[in-house]
Amino acid sequence: MKIVLGIEYNGCNYYGWQRQSISPTIQQTLETALSTIANESIRIHCAGRTDTGVHAIQQVIHFETSSIRDKHAWVRGTNSILPKDISVVWALESEDDFHARFSAEQRTYQYLILNRPARPAIFNGLASWESRPIDFVKMKQASSYFIGQHDFTSYRAVACQANSPIKTIYNFEVDKWQDWIVITLSANAFLHHMVRNIVGVLIAIGVGKKEVNWASEVLAAKDRTTGGVTASPDGLYLVNIQYPKRFSIPKAKSVLDKFEIFR
């Protein structure tokens, strides 16, 4: 039986998604809890691995099991074991050909920036902070360079293991409300540190260190050394994974809806 789960997590206390020698990780924590509920060893597959300190409004995972449990058990039973910063939001049984990673058509990330002189307390670890005034209009103008299919070599980590740097960004929005700036990107897939490197360039433009067209120049260079700093993981959220409709995967709410600060 193939089970699909929607997972929400605060990544502050974890060394990213992937199971590794350093712990704890999100994958390791989830597999331990699910194995207890299933009463057998569970190995999970995710839609997209997130880095240390990165959060998720909706990560999608799947696993195969011989254990028969209802949706209530997979959700509430697993949550009774998980730490409070990881939560199973929904569960469903899926078709055999579903794969959390390979069936995905689009992935959406959001990056949350608090732009004010004083550092955040309530949102510490949950939002990036920039004390310098940001020119929101310039950031929005620069975002247009990224839409479409491009070679994102300049915007991926040097250690990125992806076979190809060519990705397609379908949607790129930069929104502002009072002291908050929210950047939303949807693409077929993302490279290691791609979103954080893009945001780092946009912030440099927004605070006046670089001109708007610098975003395009970095993209054209196809050289990571031409880019700016990698933005903090604090404000980064994996928000939604889009699949073919036949799989009936629920759509997640955005960071804005979760925090309800933009209403």
Side-chain angles (χ1 to χ4, degrees):
M1 179 182 300
K2 183 170 287 188
I3 304 297
V4 184
L5 305 179
I7 310 296
E8 175 183 293
Y9 53 83
N10 177 327
C12 288
N13 297 319
Y14 299 90
Y15 291 95
W17 169 267
Q18 188 174 11
R19 177 186 285 272
Q20 54 185 303
S21 58
I22 302 175
S23 63
T25 67
I26 305 293
Q27 180 182 8
Q28 172 193 16
T29 306
L30 275 167
E31 287 179 343
T32 299
L34 288 167
S35 295
T36 300
I37 297 300
N39 198 30
E40 64 180 14
S41 180
I42 295 295
R43 180 54 59 96
I44 61 180
H45 303 271
C46 73
R49 293 176 295 182
T50 52
D51 294 333
T52 299
V54 175
H55 319 294
I57 300 300
Q58 178 159 282
Q59 170 74 269
V60 176
I61 69 170
H62 85 264
F63 60 91
E64 295 188 13
T65 179
S66 60
S67 299
I68 306 300
R69 303 284 187 273
D70 60 23
K71 296 177 184 179
H72 176 84
W74 289 123
V75 175
R76 300 197 63 178
T78 307
N79 284 343
S80 70
I81 300 173
L82 287 170
K84 292 183 179 180
D85 49 9
I86 304 177
S87 179
V88 179
V89 180
W90 52 260
L92 55 84
E93 295 180 16
S94 186
E95 300 173 39
D96 290 339
D97 63 340
F98 175 85
H99 194 286
R101 177 184 174 189
F102 299 120
S103 298
E105 297 177 327
Q106 288 188 39
R107 296 160 174 83
T108 298
Y109 279 87
Q110 287 185 317
Y111 195 89
L112 184 63
I113 303 170
L114 177 60
N115 185 211
R116 72 180 189 191
R119 61 177 173 81
I122 300 300
F123 288 92
N124 178 41
L126 299 178
S128 179
W129 170 55
E130 178 53 63
S131 61
R132 296 167 294 182
I134 292 178
D135 189 325
F136 159 75
V137 174
K138 287 185 177 180
M139 290 181 71
K140 197 172 185 67
Q141 290 172 343
S143 70
S144 64
Y145 293 119
F146 299 101
I147 297 175
Q149 185 180 82
H150 301 284
D151 183 327
F152 284 95
T153 296
S154 295
Y155 288 95
R156 70 169 175 172
V158 174
C160 180
Q161 298 177 353
N163 292 328
S164 172
I166 298 175
K167 303 298 175 187
T168 302
I169 292 182
Y170 301 109
N171 182 57
F172 198 137
E173 298 177 8
V174 183
D175 298 304
K176 180 177 173 60
W177 185 84
Q178 295 185 13
D179 293 333
W180 296 94
I181 294 175
V182 178
I183 300 169
T184 305
L185 300 90
S186 296
N188 60 337
F190 289 90
L191 301 164
H192 189 200
H193 284 176
M194 179 174 161
V195 177
R196 291 168 59 190
N197 288 337
I198 289 174
V199 172
V201 164
L202 291 185
I203 290 175
I205 292 170
V207 299
K209 292 181 65 176
K210 296 289 185 178
E211 297 299 321
V212 170
N213 63 356
W214 184 57
S216 178
E217 293 172 357
V218 172
L219 186 64
K222 301 177 185 178
D223 180 356
R224 175 59 198 143
T225 63
T226 64
V229 299
T230 302
S232 164
D234 292 356
L236 184 57
Y237 293 78
L238 174 59
V239 172
N240 197 60
I241 315 294
Q242 181 176 308
Y243 295 95
K245 290 184 179 180
R246 67 186 180 89
F247 292 124
S248 301
I249 303 298
K251 184 176 180 180
K253 291 185 176 182
S254 73
V255 174
L256 316 187
D257 293 321
K258 286 289 183 178
F259 287 148
E260 298 185 349
I261 57 177
F262 293 85
R263 293 183 182 275

